[in-house]
Amino acid sequence: MDMLMRVSAEAIADAGLTADQVDGLLVGPQVGETPQHVPAAVSEYFGMMPTMSNVVDLGGASGHGMIWRAAAAIAAGQCETVLCVIGNHRNPIPPRAANRNPAREFDTPFGASGANTSYALLMQAHMAAYGCTPEDYAQIAAGARANAQLNPMAIFYGKPASVEDVLASPLVASPLHLLEIVMPVAGADAVIVTTAEKAKQGPHRPVHLLGAGEKITHRAVSQAPNLTSGPLKPSIARALDQSGLGIQDVDFLSLYDCYTIMVAATIEDAGLCQPGQFGAWLRDNGGMGHTAAKPINTHGGQLGFGQPDLAGGMTHVVEAVRQIRGTTGARQMKKCDTALVTGNGATMSEAVALILGGAA
């Protein structure tokens, strides 16, 4: 709770606001030891009395989902300035709780237990359908590590990894190698969403929400309608349609990257290339760094920066905002006026896509 409060205070100060100007609160699920009454517990701890509050539970897409919900609440007149905050610590021994999700009865007994196994299944299906090579996927992890070398806050800062290093790391769940899987870390992120009028008064270039899309298709991978394409495809299409932009008009790609296969599928679902061609597209793109044709995850992504629980998705929102503002230092893009930000929950199950754009 203290970590959430500290990062919230930093976000409020960064926006040039004071705490008493925040009248909305969106938080992630199961904060600390408070699985119920989460907004009330956080409000009490922070000393807030919001006029709008809620829990957003979309797994890794929770942070992204907060952004458009905050904008919708403001548009509905329920509040003017919303604090969106999410994060968690790392328990040395994860707490165990009763879980009566249907997957526990119908999937787990057959060995389909946990994210590693499920994303390995998605990667196997993708490789089988399109003939993509291990090297194609490994370049995503290597690119994330390379980007992390320009971010002192990244867990893998000072620890680059080549494609060969990725492929030489142990197989965890075939065909996924250890370095193709996120590193869980402690951490939290906070973002302020307010009215356009108030944003103009702030210390930074305002970043506007131009479009949003959301879609849920399943929970357990055994129930997925498609193993090679996910709900981000319609989510991205809706966000782009609302923004009036095409994917080629977007400068920066801040893509959820819990596993390398997630980035591969998102590149294809966004319409940047044909299915199965993400590897060639990345090579033609000049990699993933800030000097690439379309930079990807310049902060290192979750594969290079680390995954602070469900706040891992919010790091992609924060990096997109900073790139559009022009405040990322050594990793700053030459031009960044628009960004696609994606969030993914469960096993390519819950999807949110945002199009962000900077004020002229």
Side-chain angles (χ1 to χ4, degrees):
M1 197 76 86
D2 183 64
M3 182 166 58
L4 294 179
M5 185 171 69
R6 284 186 282 123
V7 76
S8 296
E10 291 179 11
I12 292 168
D14 183 67
L17 301 171
T18 57
D20 60 352
Q21 292 177 284
V22 178
D23 56 357
L25 174 68
L26 293 177
V27 294
Q30 297 187 5
V31 178
E33 298 178 358
T34 310
Q36 289 182 306
H37 312 296
V38 178
V42 174
S43 295
E44 180 183 77
Y45 194 86
F46 286 14
M48 295 176 63
M49 294 186 182
T51 60
M52 184 284 295
S53 62
N54 217 322
V55 173
V56 179
D57 183 1
L58 291 169
S62 299
H64 309 68
M66 290 178 184
I67 305 302
W68 80 256
R69 284 167 171 78
I74 292 169
Q78 298 302 312
C79 51
E80 285 193 353
T81 303
V82 183
L83 168 64
C84 304
V85 62
I86 189 169
N88 220 325
H89 56 75
R90 289 290 297 161
N91 292 301
I93 302 176
R96 296 185 178 275
N99 186 329
R100 292 179 292 276
N101 189 290
R104 296 285 179 174
E105 181 175 355
F106 298 105
D107 291 46
T108 304
F110 300 94
S113 176
N116 290 342
T117 303
S118 297
Y119 279 92
L121 174 64
L122 295 175
M123 188 167 169
Q124 283 189 346
H126 193 265
M127 294 177 81
Y130 304 117
C132 300
T133 67
E135 288 78 9
D136 288 332
Y137 304 93
Q139 66 180 317
I140 294 170
R145 285 290 191 98
N147 286 349
Q149 305 318 301
L150 296 177
N151 185 0
M153 290 190 69
I155 195 72
F156 289 119
Y157 179 68
K159 298 178 181 179
S162 65
V163 170
E164 291 73 24
D165 292 332
V166 175
L167 296 178
S169 65
L171 276 172
V172 174
S174 181
L176 279 169
H177 296 83
L178 180 64
L179 300 190
E180 296 182 89
I181 300 170
V182 290
M183 170 65 78
V185 300
D189 287 85
V191 172
I192 299 296
V193 180
T194 189
T195 63
E197 291 73 21
K198 279 192 175 182
K200 290 178 183 178
Q201 302 167 16
H204 303 287
R205 180 191 188 189
V207 177
H208 297 284
L209 175 63
L210 305 181
E214 184 171 307
K215 183 77 170 180
I216 296 175
T217 53
H218 60 285
R219 168 59 182 88
V221 71
S222 61
Q223 307 304 311
N226 192 319
L227 294 180
T228 59
S229 177
L232 268 174
K233 187 171 185 176
S235 301
I236 294 171
R238 172 172 287 185
L240 286 169
D241 183 62
Q242 286 186 2
S243 72
L245 300 174
I247 189 60
Q248 299 303 333
D249 301 319
V250 175
D251 299 322
F252 177 48
L253 304 173
S254 200
L255 309 181
Y256 195 90
D257 60 331
C258 49
Y259 297 82
T260 52
I261 176 58
M262 193 66 225
V263 178
T266 303
I267 288 171
E268 295 172 3
D269 280 351
L272 290 161
C273 64
Q274 292 298 311
Q277 297 300 310
F278 79 92
W281 182 88
L282 277 170
R283 289 185 284 272
D284 292 341
N285 190 54
M288 294 168 49
H290 67 286
T291 60
K294 285 191 184 298
I296 302 174
N297 298 346
T298 48
H299 66 308
Q302 295 177 103
L303 291 169
F305 177 83
Q307 185 186 54
D309 203 67
L310 301 184
M314 187 72 101
T315 67
H316 293 275
V317 178
V318 171
E319 182 69 5
V321 169
R322 288 175 173 168
Q323 280 288 355
I324 293 172
R325 284 179 175 179
T327 59
T328 57
R331 63 182 189 271
Q332 180 62 45
M333 295 167 52
K334 187 174 181 179
K335 175 184 177 294
C336 187
D337 292 322
T338 54
L340 166 65
V341 190
T342 62
N344 161 69
T347 310
M348 215 154 73
S349 312
E350 305 157 306
V352 177
L354 307 174
I355 301 294
L356 304 181

